[in-house]
Amino acid sequence: MNIFKRLFRIGQAETHSAIDKLEDPIKMIEQGLRDLHTELDQANRALAEVKAMHIRRGNELKQYKEDEGAVHNKSILLLKKAQEGAMESNEADTLVKENLRKKAAISKKISITEQEANALQTQVTGLEGNVTKIKSSIGQWESELKTLRARVKVSNATQKINQQLMKMDSNSVAHMLERMKDKVLDEEALATAYGEMNKQEESHEEKVNKLIDDFSAEDELAKLKNQLGIENKSEPNVENDNTNPS
């Protein structure tokens, strides 16, 4: 019993392996479409040939019926001439008998040709049905192939995304987020540092500008004359300014 179970498991494994090795469904459908197009070409060719034979038999049937009518009319004309005395009755009977034999042969040809024409018409109807069926199958398969291609694209994209997500567990994602946060904090700190540096440079420049604005050429001239011992005549006389006229 164990041996049979083991053989059964081996058979199952081989079956699954064979299924896994099946061709790509898209390629299988494409090959099926190529086969259908080949069958359609063959069916159209056979249909054209059978239609041509049917047309030919129809033309032959028409001609046989015209010949049959012509022989029948000649027989009537001969009998009328014999009745009117335009020709001997025996001669007329002989010619009419010959025409009747011709008519009988033509009638057989007409019967055979009609049977052949009917058979060809049946073949034409069957081939037309096959052509219509093959065209319908091609249209259905092409529509399914288009849908399948779209589904395969979506499936492949989903599979790749899922594979990427499987590679990225929760710990790695959290680690990546922390690294991104640290990077953002570093960038923000660097931006703040540049901003403070710009403010410092502006403050230094403002101080220089203030010193320049506070500079007095008159005071500096007075200091220089004082160092040289030169009386500053431009200074106002305080005593004179304080003396009021009586």
Side-chain angles (χ1 to χ4, degrees):
M1 182 65 69
N2 293 331
I3 295 176
F4 289 118
K5 288 183 178 179
R6 183 178 179 185
L7 290 175
F8 178 73
R9 286 197 297 270
I10 293 174
Q12 282 184 324
E14 291 179 351
T15 302
H16 292 309
S17 176
I19 293 174
D20 293 336
K21 293 180 180 179
L22 287 175
E23 296 181 5
D24 185 356
I26 291 181
K27 293 182 179 179
M28 294 176 65
I29 294 178
E30 289 176 346
Q31 182 60 46
L33 284 171
R34 286 192 289 269
D35 294 340
L36 282 176
H37 280 291
T38 300
E39 292 181 6
L40 180 60
D41 292 338
Q42 294 174 353
N44 282 325
R45 190 179 302 110
L47 178 60
E49 292 175 355
V50 174
K51 277 189 173 182
M53 293 174 63
H54 181 263
I55 292 172
R56 182 176 178 181
R57 290 295 181 274
N59 292 335
E60 290 176 350
L61 182 61
K62 181 180 179 181
Q63 185 62 46
Y64 289 152
K65 288 182 177 181
E66 289 179 356
D67 293 341
E68 183 185 38
V71 171
H72 179 73
N73 292 332
K74 286 181 180 180
S75 297
I76 295 175
L77 182 60
L78 289 172
L79 292 176
K80 286 183 178 181
K81 285 184 176 182
Q83 186 179 7
E84 294 173 355
M87 61 182 304
E88 294 292 333
S89 297
N90 293 334
E91 182 182 3
D93 291 344
T94 301
L95 293 174
V96 170
K97 289 178 183 180
E98 184 65 25
N99 287 339
L100 291 176
R101 284 192 288 269
K102 289 181 180 180
K103 182 180 178 182
I106 294 173
S107 296
K108 288 182 180 180
K109 290 181 180 181
I110 290 174
S111 178
I112 294 172
T113 304
E114 284 180 344
Q115 292 177 4
E116 292 178 350
N118 292 333
L120 290 172
Q121 180 60 48
T122 301
Q123 292 182 18
V124 168
T125 302
L127 288 172
E128 287 178 343
N130 290 336
V131 168
T132 301
K133 184 177 180 180
I134 293 173
K135 287 182 178 179
S136 176
S137 298
I138 289 175
Q140 180 180 355
W141 279 32
E142 287 177 344
S143 177
E144 291 180 359
L145 179 60
K146 184 178 180 181
T147 302
L148 185 58
R149 280 175 175 167
R151 291 178 62 185
V152 167
K153 288 182 179 179
V154 174
S155 177
N156 290 338
T158 304
Q159 183 178 358
K160 290 180 180 179
I161 293 173
N162 289 335
Q163 288 175 351
Q164 293 296 327
L165 291 176
M166 287 178 64
K167 294 178 181 178
M168 297 175 58
D169 56 10
S170 59
N171 294 330
S172 62
V173 173
H175 180 66
M176 290 179 62
L177 289 174
E178 290 298 328
R179 289 181 59 186
M180 288 298 297
K181 289 179 181 178
D182 292 339
K183 187 175 181 180
V184 170
L185 291 174
D186 291 340
E187 294 292 337
E188 290 176 349
L190 184 60
T192 303
Y194 278 121
E196 291 179 354
M197 291 173 62
N198 289 332
K199 289 181 179 180
Q200 290 177 359
E201 291 178 358
E202 291 176 359
S203 298
H204 177 71
E205 186 177 355
E206 289 176 356
K207 291 178 180 179
V208 173
N209 292 332
K210 185 177 181 181
L211 291 174
I212 294 174
D213 293 339
D214 292 341
F215 175 79
S216 174
E218 192 72 28
D219 293 340
E220 293 298 324
L221 177 61
K223 290 179 182 180
L224 182 58
K225 286 183 177 182
N226 188 23
Q227 292 175 0
L228 297 176
I230 300 174
E231 183 182 357
N232 189 2
K233 297 180 179 181
S234 61
E235 292 181 355
N237 192 343
V238 179
E239 295 179 355
N240 294 332
D241 291 340
N242 292 332
T243 305
N244 294 325
S246 56

